[in-house]
């Protein structure tokens, strides 16, 4: 099935990274600030020279008509329009630039490096995207030789001194008093670091799982890190429904994010005087600019961690719920940093606020910041629980507005020169790639038909059967004819992926007891029925069980209960369905491979996630404890349970209408664990999972 496994996803992700890297490294004028642009461009001296002459009126320049006050708002804009071709061929500009470079660049910046910067750096003075056709009419060495000849003709003492912004129509020199402040301003930016390690940490920590052997200390450490930081509840909301308490392991990661980004926002503290860009208030501007840089650098982790097709789900053993929690915390950092960026620079430019309110770059910055700020209250846990569809739609729209606002804010001030916009491209590309893979998953299954059956008279439990589809883990189902919100889809665990029963292998058949005549009679009496069921043809069918809640499931239940009863008294409807499959339910289940014993605990419809895991560990001693509110679920799952009971290594116990003795179950299995490792699988109400996790002291867990 298309996109069933990770290689295609990995190739698409690798292609995206390759495309971004090729874009970023295209030239010295474009890239990600602090990674590919400023830190790799060690010719800050040449960039400072270009800054001093690029705003000068050349012989081929044109002057903007009308009022130029708005153009002068930005220190990097000029009321003079100079086409890119003008920079490439103007003799005075090229010779003056070459003379400045030879005067102020250190000797270790050798001629090949100067020529490399010259080829791409001259054209980028116009803020236009660079391509190979934008090559200066003369090389750096040729321009320098012409400049030295011009200086020899008039004498070194009589060569004109160029002042920034003045017309440039002959070879001139840049005085030290003008060069130093601009150079200090250039290196001021080169120390801004971008926090990209948020992506690498999950990979590094996941490498531990491939170490040979599983010592006892590792299992105990793993369980200790899975416990909540405070209290005993991690999956159950905290008091006041303010959110979920992170685990100790998640808190270490969150702490790193907060501390590292706080540190990078402030340090190193650079106050360099004289400074052309910031004659005063450097610290305020420094923190304001850095918080803006870090906010954009967080786009990658924010969009990647929230995506269903997150490549890290295949490369690590972290669950999707963990990445969603980290997505929220990184988003908090992004929103705070964007707000600080706007607030601090508002203070910085308070004196010009009346003029700036008409500046499009300023306006788009406000739009982007406000979109991010509004996302926070609309995404709190209580909103997600009570109006999930509203949260989802609001989240998508305002995230897009934030990206668009950020891009135009950057473009209006810097065009494509400093590479800030690359972070917007990355965030948008990750979002687009995730949606593209979702669409391909849908198209691979086509339009299917779902048979929806009520398992009880009240429609509390529903069974969904989709013929012709083979799935595993969990799937996202969309019922386009159920309501006007045809785009809505929700995840459901797959109980089984086929209908019918194959012939039982010999090792799965129970050994007959020669001393029990009664057992022989029972086997003989049921031989006809068993033989018929054994040879039932196998057909693809994805089956899911769900409990009706709010939103889509409530609408589905209402439609189902309105249907007429069938001959057997049950209610059933048939609807077209779009199936987005398959997704791994929890990558941590791969860690169970080394376990010799499995303890599976399920509550209610949580059995749908547990049974496929039990089937995948055939031959491993497995104990299933399943508690449910009524017997309707038991009747629905009975065929799968009977199939498992043929395996002598499987022990199944069910409880109807009463709580499972979690502590006793855990204690018994830990005492009987023997030499092998114990794996514990839990799926059910969040309170049950939290209670079990608080009692466990060793083992390998999958929640």
């Amino acid at each position: 099935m298309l996109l069933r496994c990770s290689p295609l996803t990995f190739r698409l992700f690798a292609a995206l990274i390759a495309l971004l890297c090729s874009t970023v490294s295209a030239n010295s004028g474009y890239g990600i600030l602090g990674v590919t642009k400023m830190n790799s461009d060690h010719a800050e001296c040449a960039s400072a020279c270009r800054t001093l002459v690029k705003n000068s009126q050349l012989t081929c320049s044109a002057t903007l008509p009308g009022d130029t006050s708005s153009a002068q708002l930005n220190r990097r804009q000029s009321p003079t329009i100079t086409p890119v071709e003008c920079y490439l061929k103007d003799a005075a500009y090229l010779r003056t630039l070459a003379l400045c470079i030879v005067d102020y660049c250190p000797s270790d910046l050798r001629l090949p490096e100067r020529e490399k910067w010259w080829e791409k750096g001259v054209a980028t003075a116009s803020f236009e995207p660079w391509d190979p056709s934008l090559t200066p009419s003369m090389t750096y060495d040729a321009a320098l030789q012409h400049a030295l000849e011009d200086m020899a003709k008039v004498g070194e003492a009589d060569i004109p001194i160029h002042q920034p912004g003045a017309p440039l129509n002959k070879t001139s020199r840049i005085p030290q008093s003008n060069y130093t402040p601009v150079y200090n301003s250039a290196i001021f930016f080169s120390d801004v670091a971008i926090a990209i390690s948020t992506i690498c940490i999950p990979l590094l920590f996941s490498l531990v799982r491939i170490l040979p052997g599983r010592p006892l200390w590792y299992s105990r450490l793993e369980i200790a890190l899975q416990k909540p930081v405070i209290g005993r509840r991690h999956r159950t909301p905290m008091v006041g429904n303010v959110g979920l308490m992170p685990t100790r392991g998640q808190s270490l990661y969150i702490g790193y994010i907060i501390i590292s980004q706080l540190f990078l926002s402030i340090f190193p503290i650079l106050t360099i005087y004289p400074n052309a860009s910031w004659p005063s208030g450097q610290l305020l501007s420094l923190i304001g600019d850095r918080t803006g840089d870090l906010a954009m650098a967080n786009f990658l982790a924010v969009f990647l961690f929230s995506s269903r097709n997150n490549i890290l789900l295949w490369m690590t053993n972290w669950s999707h719920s963990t990445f969603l929690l980290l997505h929220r915390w990184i988003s908090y950092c992004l929103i705070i940093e964007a707000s600080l960026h706007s607030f601090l620079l508002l203070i910085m430019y308070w004196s010009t606020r009346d003029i700036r309110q008409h500046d499009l770059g300023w306006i788009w910055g406000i739009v982007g910041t406000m979109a991010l700020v509004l996302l926070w209250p609309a995404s709190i846990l209580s909103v997600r629980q009570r109006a999930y569809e509203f949260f989802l739609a609001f989240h998508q729209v305002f995230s897009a507005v934030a990206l668009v606002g950020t891009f135009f804010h950057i473009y209006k001030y810097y065009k494509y020169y400093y590479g800030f916009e690359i972070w917007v491209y990355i965030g948008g590309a990750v979002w687009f790639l995730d949606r593209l893979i979702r669409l391909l998953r849908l198209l691979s299954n086509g339009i299917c038909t779902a048979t929806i059956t009520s398992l009880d008279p009240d429609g509390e439990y529903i069974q969904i059967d989709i013929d012709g589809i083979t799935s595993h883990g969990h799937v996202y189902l969309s019922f386009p004819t159920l309501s006007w919100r045809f785009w809505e889809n929700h995840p459901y665990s797959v109980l089984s992926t086929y209908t019918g029963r194959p012939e039982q292998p010999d090792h799965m058949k129970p050994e007959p007891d020669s001393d029990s005549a009664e057992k022989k009679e029972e086997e003989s009496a049921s031989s006809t029925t068993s033989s018929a069921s054994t040879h039932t043809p196998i057909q693809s069918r994805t089956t899911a069980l769900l409990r009706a809640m709010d939103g889509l499931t409530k609408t589905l239940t209402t439609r189902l209960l309105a249907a007429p009863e069938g001959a057997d008294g049950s209610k059933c409807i048939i609807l077209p369905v779009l199936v987005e499959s398959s997704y791994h339910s929890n990558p941590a289940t791969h860690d169970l491979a080394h376990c010799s014993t499995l303890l599976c605990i399920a509550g209610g419809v949580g059995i749908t996630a547990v049974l496929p895991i039990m089937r995948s560990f055939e031959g491993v001693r497995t104990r299933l404890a399943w508690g449910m509110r009524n017997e309707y679920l038991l009747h629905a799952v009975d065929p799968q349970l009977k199939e498992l009971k043929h395996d002598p290594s499987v022990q199944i116990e069910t409880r109807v209408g009463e709580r499972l003795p979690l502590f006793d179950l855990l204690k018994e299995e830990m005492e009987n664990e023997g030499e092998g490792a114990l794996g514990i699988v839990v799926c059910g109400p969040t309170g049950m999972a939290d209670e079990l996790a608080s009692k466990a002291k060793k083992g390998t867990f999958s929640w």
Side-chain angles (χ1 to χ4, degrees):
M1 183 170 54
L2 184 63
L3 295 176
R4 182 176 180 274
C5 54
S6 59
L8 178 56
T9 305
F10 182 81
R11 287 194 293 270
L12 288 172
F13 185 80
L16 169 66
I17 296 299
L19 176 63
L20 293 174
C21 291
S22 64
T23 303
V24 165
S25 60
N27 59 82
S28 64
Y30 305 89
I32 302 175
L33 184 69
V35 177
T36 61
K37 164 60 177 76
M38 300 301 290
N39 286 346
S40 65
D41 181 9
H42 56 277
E44 290 92 354
C45 56
S47 300
C49 289
R50 181 186 58 200
T51 300
L52 285 163
V53 296
K54 70 181 181 182
N55 291 330
S56 301
Q57 182 176 354
L58 308 181
T59 55
C60 48
S61 300
T63 304
L64 286 172
D67 182 22
T68 62
S69 59
S70 61
Q72 293 173 345
L73 282 173
N74 185 3
R75 56 181 176 270
R76 296 179 178 88
Q77 290 181 340
S78 171
T80 299
I81 296 179
T82 303
V84 61
E85 295 80 8
C86 185
Y87 289 107
L88 298 175
K89 66 182 182 181
D90 188 87
Y93 169 78
L94 295 173
R95 297 178 187 185
T96 301
L97 182 59
L99 197 58
C100 177
I101 292 174
V102 77
D103 283 343
Y104 297 112
C105 284
S107 58
D108 60 351
L109 186 64
R110 302 188 181 280
L111 182 60
E113 296 173 326
R114 299 187 185 198
E115 290 286 6
K116 182 179 179 181
W117 179 92
W118 183 270
E119 180 184 2
K120 301 174 182 179
V122 169
T124 54
S126 64
F127 290 113
E128 295 297 331
W130 183 87
D131 62 68
S133 64
L134 300 179
T135 303
S137 59
M138 64 180 75
T139 64
Y140 162 76
D141 188 56
L144 178 60
Q145 294 303 320
H146 287 299
L148 294 177
E149 293 174 2
D150 292 342
M151 187 168 61
K153 291 178 181 178
V154 299
E156 185 174 353
D158 297 326
I159 190 169
I161 301 299
H162 178 70
Q163 297 298 330
L168 181 62
N169 50 25
K170 62 180 65 176
T171 304
S172 306
R173 249 185 161 161
I174 306 297
Q176 181 77 35
S177 59
N178 290 343
Y179 172 81
T180 300
V182 174
Y183 175 75
N184 289 343
S185 176
I187 65 172
F188 193 75
F189 265 117
S190 64
D191 291 303
V192 177
I194 301 299
I196 59 173
S197 57
T198 51
I199 305 299
C200 301
I201 288 180
L203 295 174
L204 295 177
F205 277 92
S206 294
L207 292 177
V208 179
R209 75 185 193 277
I210 67 175
L211 295 176
R214 283 283 182 143
L216 180 59
W217 66 265
Y218 178 83
S219 295
R220 288 179 174 174
L221 175 63
E222 189 175 33
I223 292 180
L225 292 178
Q226 290 179 354
K227 293 182 180 295
V229 179
I230 302 174
R232 298 183 177 181
R233 299 190 301 178
H234 161 57
R235 298 157 191 85
T236 305
M238 293 183 288
V239 178
N241 210 26
V242 296
L244 300 177
M245 176 65 66
T247 65
R248 296 169 184 173
Q250 292 168 348
S251 298
L252 290 176
Y253 182 90
I254 293 169
Y256 166 77
I257 293 173
I258 295 174
I259 294 173
S260 64
Q261 301 210 16
L262 180 63
F263 181 87
L264 291 173
S265 297
I266 302 174
F267 301 102
I269 298 176
L270 297 176
T271 53
I272 305 174
Y273 294 95
N275 194 303
S277 298
W278 297 277
S280 62
Q282 285 191 28
L283 184 60
L284 194 68
S285 184
L286 170 72
I287 298 176
D289 283 330
R290 284 180 176 174
T291 51
D293 299 337
L294 291 171
M296 290 184 293
N298 284 325
F299 282 159
L300 173 58
V302 164
F303 283 93
L304 182 63
F305 286 7
S306 65
S307 63
R308 297 176 189 173
N309 298 282
N310 180 1
I311 188 66
L312 296 179
L313 289 172
W314 281 272
M315 302 175 68
T316 71
N317 60 346
W318 293 20
S319 66
H320 187 50
S321 60
T322 294
F323 280 112
L324 287 178
L325 184 142
L326 300 179
H327 156 79
R328 290 191 287 270
W329 280 92
I330 298 174
S331 298
Y332 299 154
C333 293
L334 190 157
I335 294 171
I336 293 173
E337 287 163 351
S339 301
L340 282 174
H341 170 74
S342 299
F343 177 71
L344 294 178
L345 293 187
L346 174 63
I347 297 175
M348 187 74 181
Y349 297 109
W350 183 256
S351 60
T352 59
R353 64 187 183 281
D354 293 336
I355 300 177
R356 288 182 176 274
Q357 65 182 350
H358 303 291
D359 181 14
L360 286 179
W362 185 270
I363 294 172
W364 277 113
I366 295 174
V367 170
T369 300
M370 290 305 300
L372 290 172
V373 170
L374 291 174
L375 279 171
W376 194 331
S379 304
I380 59 178
L381 182 59
S382 58
V383 174
R384 300 199 306 270
Q385 290 176 334
R386 298 178 183 178
Y388 180 78
E389 287 77 14
F390 163 78
F391 149 75
L392 200 59
F394 190 93
H395 210 67
Q396 299 294 330
V397 172
F398 276 74
S399 296
V401 171
L403 278 181
V404 172
T406 302
F407 174 80
F408 282 108
H409 172 66
I410 294 168
Y411 180 81
K412 291 297 180 180
Y413 282 149
Y414 306 104
K415 301 295 183 182
Y416 300 104
Y417 178 68
Y418 285 96
F420 295 108
E421 75 285 349
I422 297 296
W423 293 113
V424 181
Y425 295 160
I426 291 175
V430 171
W431 183 91
F432 174 78
L433 182 62
D434 179 55
R435 267 62 185 179
L436 175 62
I437 297 177
R438 291 188 195 182
L439 178 61
L440 294 178
R441 289 181 186 270
L442 283 174
L443 295 178
S444 67
N445 293 319
I447 300 177
C448 306
T449 301
T451 302
I452 305 164
T453 307
S454 175
L455 300 180
D456 61 285
D458 298 328
E460 181 180 8
Y461 295 105
I462 299 173
Q463 178 172 325
I464 301 176
D465 295 309
I466 306 172
D467 289 328
I469 295 294
T470 302
S471 306
H472 65 278
H474 65 272
V475 298
Y476 285 83
L477 302 182
S478 175
F479 299 93
T481 62
L482 189 61
S483 71
W484 63 271
R485 299 188 297 270
F486 60 88
W487 61 85
E488 287 184 8
N489 54 40
H490 295 275
Y492 301 97
S493 296
V494 176
L495 173 65
S496 61
T497 188
Y498 61 87
T499 179
R501 292 182 59 188
E503 183 178 357
Q504 289 290 338
D506 292 337
H507 74 278
M508 295 286 288
K509 298 177 180 178
E511 299 260 344
D513 188 354
S514 59
D515 297 331
S516 176
E518 181 180 352
K519 186 173 294 186
K520 289 182 179 180
E521 292 177 1
E522 291 178 357
E523 290 177 358
S524 176
S526 62
S527 60
T528 304
T529 305
S530 299
S531 176
S533 62
T534 298
H535 297 289
T536 302
I538 299 177
Q539 297 178 354
S540 298
R541 173 186 287 180
T542 293
T543 300
L545 300 179
L546 59 96
R547 182 185 177 191
M549 304 292 285
D550 294 328
L552 177 65
T553 56
K554 184 177 181 180
T555 305
L556 194 62
T557 302
T558 303
R559 175 77 68 88
L560 182 59
L561 294 178
E565 292 185 358
D568 58 353
S570 64
K571 294 189 175 183
C572 175
I573 59 174
I574 298 177
L575 293 176
V577 63
L578 300 177
V579 183
E580 183 184 330
S581 64
S582 295
Y583 290 92
H584 296 293
S585 56
N586 192 338
T589 54
H590 298 303
D591 294 339
L592 300 173
H594 71 284
C595 298
S596 60
T597 303
L598 288 183
L599 172 60
C600 300
I601 300 176
V605 293
I607 192 67
T608 57
V610 171
L611 288 184
I613 296 176
M614 295 177 61
R615 286 194 291 264
S616 65
F617 286 90
E618 180 182 321
V620 176
R621 192 179 76 84
T622 305
R623 181 180 181 182
L624 169 64
W626 178 26
M628 67 208 81
R629 300 175 63 183
N630 53 55
E631 295 182 350
Y632 296 110
L633 277 179
L634 184 60
H635 298 324
V637 184
D638 191 55
Q640 286 80 15
L641 295 180
K642 287 182 178 179
E643 181 182 341
L644 288 172
K645 287 179 180 178
H646 286 285
D647 188 344
S649 63
V650 176
Q651 176 186 352
I652 299 176
E653 60 181 274
T654 59
R655 290 177 180 261
V656 179
E658 57 180 303
R659 291 173 58 88
L660 291 171
L662 299 178
F663 180 76
D664 294 338
L665 291 170
L666 191 61
K667 182 179 179 181
E668 290 174 12
E669 291 303 321
M670 287 186 172
E671 290 175 350
N672 299 330
E673 184 180 355
E675 296 181 357
L678 170 65
I680 305 173
V681 180
V682 183
C683 188
T686 56
M688 183 183 73
D690 285 334
E691 181 182 352
L692 191 64
S694 66
K695 298 179 184 301
K697 297 186 181 300
K698 63 178 180 176
T700 298
F701 279 80
S702 177
W703 308 104

